[in-house]
Amino acid sequence: MTDMSLFYELDVTNGSVCGPGSRVRAFWSTTHAAPMTPKTMTTDAETSNHEEIDRRWASWMTAAQAGDRAAYETLLRDCIPFIKRVARGQGIRPDLIDDVVQETLLTVHQALQTYDPNRSFTAWLRTIAQRRGIDGWRRVARTGTREVHSPIVYENHSDPGGNPEEAAIEVDQTETSNSALHTLSAGQRQAVEHLALQSQSLAQAAAATGRSTVALRVDWHRALRKLRSQLGGKD
Amino acid sequence: MIRSDANDHLVQALGANLTPVRRLAPPGLRLLMWLAILGAAALAIWMVSDVGVMIRRLSAAPDTMRLAVTGCMLTAVLAAAAAFQLSLPDRRATWALLPLPASLLWIGASGMGCLRAWFSPGSYPMPPSQTEHCLIFIVGVSLPLSLVLIIMLRRGFSLRPNLTAIIGGLACASAAATLLNFIHPYDAAATDLAVHSLAVVIVILANMIFGGRILMRKNGLTSR
């Protein structure tokens, strides 16, 4: 990762849309027209460093336009700290900075064909990042008018289906019913299945099972009696 | 750390999705291409219209009318230039002000011509029954010009799709109003000015609604 802290500070404090190219040179030449001192020598070195970084990014971008994946991924990774710094300079909340980074990277990908190698890549990227930062602001403002973030209310909301005692009773009852059903004979289970669970009439159940209605009725009554005795009901 | 991983995954996904792209032509060249299409349209209208009448009328016209035609033509060229600049993501929104002086010249000179026609006994204003022809011509000619312009703008990537579409609409409407002079042998009048303004507004609104949405969809935006 390139160390570009001075570069970023210069970009943010300058506050312009221009890159580290001619306009930055003009900025420095107009504000630092004093005779050469150690400080001006340092700023000249910084400016040339910025130009070098911009040239490197521009060459990676040109390679990316030709389809060079390695150059493209290196460029995008190298740009992330720069985009974060631009977003911070716009006052974006820290938890939303990564959103701005990702939106900016997606925009760079979609706008790949619009980059002109004769122009500053840094200026191109900064404008996109600033625009996506503004979009982030708008999104936060829109969400703030429609939604309320209140995690305590959510935590305290009672869940009627979430009572563990009721759930345990329900499981217990299901197990009891299943074990009672298993004690029935095959004919009795068939009668319960068709007449009770599928809510069929005697005639429908007889047609479905191929048994007589009398046999089904007998099995049905016997099954009910056995279930009542096992589940604690009264005759 | 989790979000940094997300950034890294995104970079990898974008890298995997990378395909070579054809670099967009400079905005000046794209402007010339659109003007060439406009020139072809002008040539077609020239062929079917009475050019002699138009030249005689323009040469005999007062300064205000010549100024209005010049302003209209300049508005078309400058608005198209601004639209092509705005179709690039790193250009400032202030490019939208580029056609403003020419538009003011067009509106001002047309207004002055309107006043002159009001007070001058020798003027020949357009009959009210003909005004609808102007409206149909400007809207009808603007439609294909807008279509071509939106297709060309769509190749870029505008971060302000609505503004780009509005300026593109102004370019097409003023280009159509310029071409109208080939078949429009009348002095400026109040009704004339009102109908031209109405037609320009219709074209700009249509571009904003339809063109803006096309540019937004291309950019993956939902509203702007």
Side-chain angles (χ1 to χ4, degrees):
Chain A
M1 197 67 69
T2 315
D3 179 17
M4 298 171 46
S5 55
L6 289 171
F7 182 32
Y8 300 145
E9 291 302 335
L10 170 66
D11 292 335
V12 172
T13 50
N14 189 5
S16 71
V17 186
C18 65
S22 57
R23 289 190 196 176
V24 172
R25 274 200 302 278
F27 173 78
W28 284 108
S29 63
T30 51
T31 53
H32 295 73
M36 288 289 279
T37 62
K39 191 176 178 183
T40 51
M41 286 168 69
T42 310
T43 54
D44 283 346
E46 286 166 10
T47 306
S48 70
N49 187 31
H50 307 154
E51 287 176 0
E52 173 57 31
I53 291 164
D54 190 50
R55 267 197 297 274
R56 192 189 316 147
W57 281 359
S59 68
W60 283 339
M61 184 63 167
T62 309
Q65 286 179 324
D68 185 342
R69 179 177 173 178
Y72 186 47
E73 290 187 6
T74 310
L75 171 70
L76 294 182
R77 283 200 184 92
D78 225 28
C79 289
I80 288 174
F82 176 79
I83 299 166
K84 284 184 177 175
R85 186 59 65 101
V86 172
R88 271 190 218 109
Q90 284 187 297
I92 302 290
R93 273 178 10 208
D95 58 321
L96 297 174
I97 283 180
D98 274 315
D99 288 347
V100 174
V101 168
Q102 291 173 14
E103 292 281 341
T104 305
L105 293 181
L106 283 169
T107 306
V108 166
H109 187 72
Q110 289 173 308
L112 208 61
Q113 78 282 2
T114 65
Y115 173 65
D116 179 359
N118 296 319
R119 296 174 71 92
S120 163
F121 176 81
T122 318
W124 186 81
L125 179 65
R126 185 190 289 107
T127 313
I128 293 174
Q130 284 173 336
R131 192 68 203 176
R132 288 309 181 220
I134 292 167
D135 289 347
W137 270 112
R138 284 183 177 156
R139 199 165 41 245
V140 168
R142 238 186 347 250
T143 309
T145 57
R146 293 176 187 166
E147 297 175 11
V148 177
H149 179 62
S150 181
I152 296 171
V153 171
Y154 180 77
E155 291 292 332
N156 292 340
H157 180 69
S158 63
D159 182 3
N163 188 340
E165 189 181 345
E166 286 178 4
I169 291 170
E170 195 175 330
V171 169
D172 190 41
Q173 285 175 343
T174 309
E175 284 175 357
T176 311
S177 306
N178 285 341
S179 62
L181 280 171
H182 278 100
T183 61
L184 300 177
S185 69
Q188 288 167 354
R189 268 207 303 277
Q190 199 176 39
V192 169
E193 186 188 339
H194 285 273
L195 297 174
L197 301 181
Q198 295 182 15
S199 302
Q200 290 179 339
S201 67
L202 271 172
Q204 287 171 332
T209 58
R211 298 170 64 193
S212 69
T213 54
V214 177
L216 280 171
R217 195 196 302 263
V218 170
D219 274 342
W220 167 244
H221 284 290
R222 284 178 182 165
L224 284 184
R225 196 176 305 124
K226 194 179 276 183
L227 289 173
R228 273 198 201 101
S229 67
Q230 288 193 2
L231 297 174
K234 292 179 183 175
D235 287 336
Chain B
M1 182 57 75
I2 292 170
R3 297 308 299 265
S4 299
D5 286 347
N7 290 343
D8 201 54
H9 287 148
L10 178 64
V11 168
Q12 285 177 12
L14 294 178
N17 201 26
L18 179 69
T19 50
V21 292
R22 193 158 56 88
R23 203 173 293 143
L24 199 64
L29 185 61
R30 294 159 71 209
L31 171 67
L32 284 178
M33 285 163 65
W34 186 75
L35 289 177
I37 293 167
L38 180 63
L43 196 65
I45 294 172
W46 186 297
M47 305 277 271
V48 297
S49 63
D50 193 345
V51 181
V53 170
M54 189 200 75
I55 292 171
R56 274 199 301 279
R57 183 173 63 88
L58 276 180
S59 56
D63 289 343
T64 51
M65 189 168 172
R66 278 200 291 271
L67 276 177
V69 173
T70 308
C72 186
M73 204 184 306
L74 278 176
T75 302
V77 175
L78 295 178
F84 282 117
Q85 291 288 345
L86 288 169
S87 73
L88 298 172
D90 58 337
R91 301 303 200 267
R92 285 167 178 255
T94 45
W95 272 103
L97 298 175
L98 184 65
L100 188 65
S103 304
L104 290 176
L105 176 67
W106 177 22
I107 295 166
S110 299
M112 291 296 289
C114 183
L115 282 175
R116 192 195 70 84
W118 189 274
F119 292 111
S120 167
S123 65
Y124 179 41
M126 181 171 57
S129 60
Q130 300 257 334
T131 54
E132 65 190 42
H133 295 157
C134 291
L135 185 75
I136 292 168
F137 181 89
I138 291 178
V139 174
V141 172
S142 294
L143 187 70
L145 288 177
S146 300
L147 198 65
V148 171
L149 189 60
I150 287 292
I151 290 170
M152 292 176 77
L153 292 175
R154 202 170 172 273
R155 276 273 298 142
F157 189 96
S158 177
L159 292 176
R160 300 174 186 83
N162 273 340
L163 183 63
T164 308
I166 287 170
I167 299 299
L170 176 64
C172 296
S174 49
T178 307
L179 296 180
L180 180 67
N181 286 298
F182 290 130
I183 58 163
H184 191 264
Y186 303 108
D187 290 338
T191 50
D192 201 15
L193 192 60
V195 167
H196 286 199
S197 305
L198 177 66
V200 169
V201 169
I202 288 172
V203 171
I204 289 175
L205 281 178
N207 268 272
M208 188 184 80
I209 293 168
F210 299 109
R213 282 187 185 172
I214 291 169
L215 295 178
M216 267 181 210
R217 196 168 300 157
K218 196 259 176 178
N219 299 1
L221 302 172
T222 51
S223 64
R224 189 56 29 84

